[in-house]
Structure formats: structure tokens, C-alpha cells
Amino acid sequence: MAAEWRSDVLGTSQVRIRSVDGDVAGAGFLVAADLVCTCAHVVEEAFDLPAPVNEAPGGSVNLDFPLLSARPSARASVVSWRHGGADVALLRLDRPVEGARPAGLVDGTAVWKHPFRVFGYPNGADHGVWVLGTLRAGMAAGLLQMEAHLPGPRVTEGFSGSPVWDDARGGVVGMTIAAHRGESTAYLLPSADLIDEHTMPARCPFQGLEPFTEEQSEFFHGRDADTTRVMAALQQRPVVLVVGPSGCGKSSLIRAGVLSRLRDESVSASELRPVPGTRATSVLARALTDVLEPGLGEIGSPAPRAAPPAPSWSTRPATTSAG
């Protein structure tokens, strides 16, 4: 499991699941780019099933991402079904959702007194409510106890399927399963019990000599300060150059750090890379011309120039630029 240390990803992963009548059935969250985790009983309510079922229901579930600015909607079908003690369902989205990002799972053991936050949809609050509290310890049933801070909102019906964010560990420690009616005590299923490895095989977080990509941003750590510096520079000027010797981590910083952070903030971003036979500066110049001089036209645009033959000792370009 990998942690995502920026808590804003909790908002970009949060899902609201609706019934066939359009009512809110419960919550869920992205655990992969196209995979939603929720409670099996939430899916049953979404399908308006009269009683618990042992096999995954067919058809599609309607859902949306309420904490994204555009509130995009989608449909998803059940690909993993574990009813009973686990009460977990995994849903496959019918299409990628722009701006949505999976939340990283962290270890759900030894979390006594860790602060948590959780977002759910109690009765009469379809827009959602945040609850803050303190994590306790595991129980004989395999669940983890949590206590909401009073006075304040409590975990109630409508929170089922919500990811529980551990502020101390910086990731999702588990999924809300149940709550005591009228009390501050609720229960979550630890993160280790959420993933069906047949549906979502474990991924290796180590890249070796290969650079990190946006899709591997959840594994990219230790460069937060550099990412923040580039983000601050982008807010102050239209062009920012990231320069350094080959192999120092420029591509990983731009892709898994800067581009990932930009998309978290709902900023549109594109990646341009040099092509064989064309100078990197020409590719960049043509791309920037369309942005900085949109009325220049084809005649005034810089023409691409072929790169000179590369000597036998040449390596890949040592400069990476992102716009």
C-alpha cells in the first residue's frame, strides 16, 4: 500500500452513489483510476434490492464526484463482491473522470489516538458533511473503532462507504461500515481488507532507473519542496525552466510532482516531448507561440529545424520543460 501525503486527494477521490430514484445511497472512493470502493450494502440500496444478496448484482450504478468543481457524473458496474463480514464492493467506472484521483491506502494498525476526518451524506444533507474525530483500536470482529468529536457532527447513516482519512499517516486508513445510532462511536473496515488482489493486483512502488509518471504519483515522495517551488514559480511567470544534469530526476519531478499537483488543483496541463530529428527548442517554441501569440498565424510561427546528427556519446536531452 502507498500513502498519498496531500489530503486534497481525499476530495478528488470522494464518490457519491445514488439509487435508481436519484436519492443518495451512500459514499465510496477511488482506489485506482477507474475503480471505486464502497460497501456492498450501499450497492444493494442503490439497486433497491429487498434483501442481502450473496452474488454481485448486474447493471450499472449512478455516481458522481461532489467535491470536484464540475461535479462530474459516471456509471459503474460491480467487479468484486464480498458480502457479510467484509461488506465490500469494487465498482469499475465506465469511463475516466477528469480531475478525479485515487486516494492512497495506509496501514490501519497501531493508530490509537490518531486524528481522522470523514465525509458522508447523512439524511437531509445530500451535499455532504465532514466529521472529525479520533481513531481507537481494532476489535474482535476485525473492525476499527473511531470516535467523533463532540459537540459536532457524528458518523451516521449515509456515511457507509466513506474513506476515513488518518491525518497522522496521511492516507486512507479504512472505510466506514457502521455506527451506533445516536452515539459518537462508529466503525471502519481497515484498508488491508478493502482490496481484492484479483481485481486490483499489487503494484511495485520502485521504478529503478525509470522516471515516475503521473500514474505513479502516489509512489513519488521526498520532492514536495521542489514541487512547491515550481508551482510557486508557475504562478508568477508564464514560462518556467527546470534544468539539471541527466538522471537527476527532472522528468519525475515534472510528471509525478508538478503535473500531478496541477491536475489536483483542476488546472489543465499538457506534456510535450522532443521527437527524433527535431530540436527540442523548436517543439517548445511552436507550442508556446500558440499560447503567447495566438494571433501570429502559420507564417509568423517558428519553423521546425532538423537537429544535427548526434555524436555517438550523446544522451537524451538534459532539459525538461512543462507548460
Short mmCIF file of all heavy atoms in Angstrom, two decimals, residues 22 28 64 72 86 103 118 126 141 166 183 193 195 241 258 270 274 277 291:
data_model
loop_
_atom_site.label_atom_id
_atom_site.label_comp_id
_atom_site.label_asym_id
_atom_site.label_seq_id
_atom_site.Cartn_x
_atom_site.Cartn_y
_atom_site.Cartn_z
N GLY A 22 -32.54 8.33 -7.77
CA GLY A 22 -31.76 9.56 -7.69
C GLY A 22 -31.40 9.97 -6.27
O GLY A 22 -30.70 10.98 -6.08
N GLY A 28 -18.44 6.37 -1.49
CA GLY A 28 -17.40 5.49 -1.99
C GLY A 28 -16.19 6.34 -2.31
O GLY A 28 -16.21 7.56 -2.12
N ASP A 64 -21.45 10.22 -8.71
CA ASP A 64 -20.79 11.46 -9.11
C ASP A 64 -19.68 11.78 -8.12
O ASP A 64 -19.49 11.10 -7.12
CB ASP A 64 -21.78 12.62 -9.24
CG ASP A 64 -22.45 12.99 -7.92
OD1 ASP A 64 -22.16 12.34 -6.89
OD2 ASP A 64 -23.27 13.92 -7.90
N PRO A 72 -18.59 15.98 -11.84
CA PRO A 72 -18.84 15.05 -12.94
C PRO A 72 -19.54 13.79 -12.47
O PRO A 72 -19.33 13.32 -11.35
CB PRO A 72 -17.43 14.75 -13.47
CG PRO A 72 -16.54 14.97 -12.30
CD PRO A 72 -17.15 16.11 -11.54
N ALA A 86 -17.08 -8.79 5.48
CA ALA A 86 -16.27 -7.79 4.80
C ALA A 86 -17.12 -6.64 4.29
O ALA A 86 -16.77 -5.48 4.46
CB ALA A 86 -15.51 -8.43 3.64
N ALA A 103 -7.29 7.73 -3.89
CA ALA A 103 -6.69 8.01 -2.59
C ALA A 103 -5.77 6.88 -2.20
O ALA A 103 -6.05 5.70 -2.43
CB ALA A 103 -7.79 8.18 -1.53
N VAL A 118 -13.69 12.36 7.93
CA VAL A 118 -14.50 11.53 7.04
C VAL A 118 -15.65 12.38 6.52
O VAL A 118 -16.17 13.25 7.22
CB VAL A 118 -15.02 10.26 7.76
CG1 VAL A 118 -15.93 10.63 8.94
CG2 VAL A 118 -15.74 9.32 6.81
N ASP A 126 -27.63 15.98 1.50
CA ASP A 126 -27.10 15.31 0.31
C ASP A 126 -25.83 15.96 -0.20
O ASP A 126 -25.08 15.36 -0.96
CB ASP A 126 -28.15 15.30 -0.81
CG ASP A 126 -29.31 14.35 -0.51
OD1 ASP A 126 -29.23 13.66 0.52
OD2 ASP A 126 -30.28 14.32 -1.30
N ALA A 141 -14.07 -8.36 15.89
CA ALA A 141 -14.72 -8.58 14.60
C ALA A 141 -13.84 -8.15 13.43
O ALA A 141 -14.24 -8.30 12.27
CB ALA A 141 -16.05 -7.83 14.55
N ASP A 166 -6.64 9.27 7.84
CA ASP A 166 -5.81 9.37 9.04
C ASP A 166 -4.85 10.54 8.85
O ASP A 166 -3.94 10.48 8.02
CB ASP A 166 -5.04 8.06 9.23
CG ASP A 166 -4.21 8.03 10.50
OD1 ASP A 166 -3.82 9.11 11.00
OD2 ASP A 166 -3.93 6.93 11.00
N GLU A 183 -24.99 7.76 18.99
CA GLU A 183 -23.76 7.84 19.75
C GLU A 183 -22.61 8.33 18.86
O GLU A 183 -22.74 8.41 17.64
CB GLU A 183 -23.41 6.49 20.37
CG GLU A 183 -24.45 5.97 21.35
CD GLU A 183 -24.02 4.68 22.02
OE1 GLU A 183 -22.82 4.33 21.92
OE2 GLU A 183 -24.88 4.02 22.62
N ASP A 193 -8.20 -4.86 4.29
CA ASP A 193 -9.32 -5.74 3.95
C ASP A 193 -10.16 -5.22 2.79
O ASP A 193 -11.16 -5.84 2.44
CB ASP A 193 -10.23 -5.93 5.17
CG ASP A 193 -9.52 -6.61 6.33
OD1 ASP A 193 -8.65 -7.47 6.06
OD2 ASP A 193 -9.81 -6.28 7.49
N ILE A 195 -9.06 -4.36 -0.50
CA ILE A 195 -8.63 -4.63 -1.87
C ILE A 195 -8.72 -6.11 -2.21
O ILE A 195 -8.24 -6.97 -1.48
CB ILE A 195 -7.18 -4.14 -2.08
CG1 ILE A 195 -7.10 -2.65 -1.80
CG2 ILE A 195 -6.73 -4.45 -3.50
CD1 ILE A 195 -8.04 -1.81 -2.63
N LEU A 241 11.61 27.07 -16.49
CA LEU A 241 12.53 26.04 -16.95
C LEU A 241 13.06 25.25 -15.76
O LEU A 241 13.45 25.83 -14.75
CB LEU A 241 13.71 26.66 -17.71
CG LEU A 241 13.36 27.47 -18.97
CD1 LEU A 241 14.63 27.99 -19.61
CD2 LEU A 241 12.57 26.62 -19.95
N VAL A 258 4.80 18.00 -10.38
CA VAL A 258 4.14 19.24 -10.81
C VAL A 258 2.84 18.97 -11.57
O VAL A 258 1.80 19.53 -11.24
CB VAL A 258 5.10 20.08 -11.68
CG1 VAL A 258 4.40 21.32 -12.20
CG2 VAL A 258 6.34 20.46 -10.87
N SER A 270 -0.56 20.03 -20.30
CA SER A 270 -0.17 19.14 -21.39
C SER A 270 1.33 18.88 -21.30
O SER A 270 2.10 19.73 -20.85
CB SER A 270 -0.51 19.75 -22.75
OG SER A 270 -1.90 19.99 -22.87
N PRO A 274 10.42 16.03 -26.97
CA PRO A 274 11.11 16.11 -28.27
C PRO A 274 10.87 14.86 -29.11
O PRO A 274 10.66 13.77 -28.58
CB PRO A 274 12.59 16.24 -27.87
CG PRO A 274 12.57 16.74 -26.47
CD PRO A 274 11.34 16.16 -25.84
N GLY A 277 14.81 13.94 -34.79
CA GLY A 277 15.01 14.77 -35.96
C GLY A 277 14.57 16.21 -35.81
O GLY A 277 14.72 17.00 -36.73
N VAL A 291 0.26 29.73 -27.47
CA VAL A 291 -0.28 30.22 -26.20
C VAL A 291 -0.01 31.71 -26.02
O VAL A 291 -0.90 32.49 -25.65
CB VAL A 291 0.33 29.43 -25.02
CG1 VAL A 291 -0.14 29.99 -23.68
CG2 VAL A 291 -0.05 27.95 -25.14
#
